[in-house]
Amino acid sequence: MISLEQRLAIYDLFAEYAACLDEGRLSDWLDLFVEDCIYRIVPRENYAANLPLSLVLCDSKDMMRDRVVALQEANEYNIHTDRHLISGIRFRGNASGVLQVEASYAVYQVDTEGVASLFAIGSYLDEIVFVAGSPRFKSKTVIMDNSCVPHAISTPL
């Protein structure tokens, strides 16, 4: 059973997740994960068929840090602004203090000329744990309904 306070804290976690990414605060985004986390982006077809191929796979927070540093310092990618819309947060289970949470998402991108387009849409399958009273992602599986995106996936979804 999940308490109302935990439920509200998890809603806040998702709101902060979206805000960190939309505002380009990638270091703050990293703080939303535990050290031994997993972050992956997978097409819905691969997920449904239980195929291991992911578009992005980080099996530790150190790998996520490397990706963030590359985005901030080294990589060149299409300059854009993201807007994450997260809805339908559903609590699917609690196994030994690890909460299974699912949500829907849509990510829109606006280019430097002000043209907006839907970039990605799908669902999050998350494992969330509480650390010192605050919820953190233990794993985040980003399932993309649109496995073909108009640009390379540079920033996190």
Side-chain angles (χ1 to χ4, degrees):
M1 187 70 159
I2 183 169
S3 71
L4 178 59
E5 291 79 17
Q6 288 175 316
R7 206 175 270 272
L8 292 174
I10 290 170
Y11 290 150
D12 286 345
L13 174 68
F14 278 96
E16 186 63 15
Y17 181 92
C20 286
L21 294 177
D22 292 348
E23 295 166 7
R25 296 184 290 120
L26 297 179
S27 294
D28 293 339
W29 172 75
L30 287 171
D31 292 338
L32 303 178
F33 292 82
V34 298
E35 286 298 321
D36 63 337
C37 62
I38 296 172
Y39 174 84
R40 72 180 189 136
I41 301 173
V42 61
R44 180 158 305 280
E45 297 80 19
N46 287 17
Y47 183 81
N50 203 25
L51 296 173
L53 181 64
S54 298
L55 300 171
V56 173
L57 175 60
C58 297
D59 63 4
S60 71
K61 196 168 179 179
D62 284 337
M63 287 182 74
M64 293 170 67
R65 281 187 191 100
D66 288 345
R67 186 167 174 84
V68 166
V69 168
L71 284 170
Q72 293 172 331
E73 297 178 9
N75 288 352
E76 292 186 23
Y77 55 91
N78 66 317
I79 303 302
H80 63 273
T81 301
D82 287 339
R83 184 64 56 202
H84 289 70
L85 306 177
I86 302 172
S87 66
I89 299 170
R90 297 171 298 286
F91 298 89
R92 297 296 193 191
N94 183 350
S96 302
V98 179
L99 300 169
Q100 283 77 39
V101 181
E102 184 178 348
S104 298
Y105 75 88
V107 179
Y108 289 85
Q109 289 188 343
V110 179
D111 66 20
T112 55
E113 295 177 3
V115 176
S117 62
L118 179 63
F119 181 73
I121 190 166
S123 58
Y124 295 134
L125 297 180
D126 299 324
E127 293 183 330
I128 297 173
V129 295
F130 277 80
V131 178
S134 297
R136 295 291 178 256
F137 294 106
K138 181 170 179 54
S139 74
K140 177 170 276 295
T141 300
V142 180
I143 301 172
M144 291 183 60
D145 290 344
N146 60 319
S147 57
C148 181
V149 294
H151 311 289
I153 298 173
S154 54
T155 54
L157 297 176

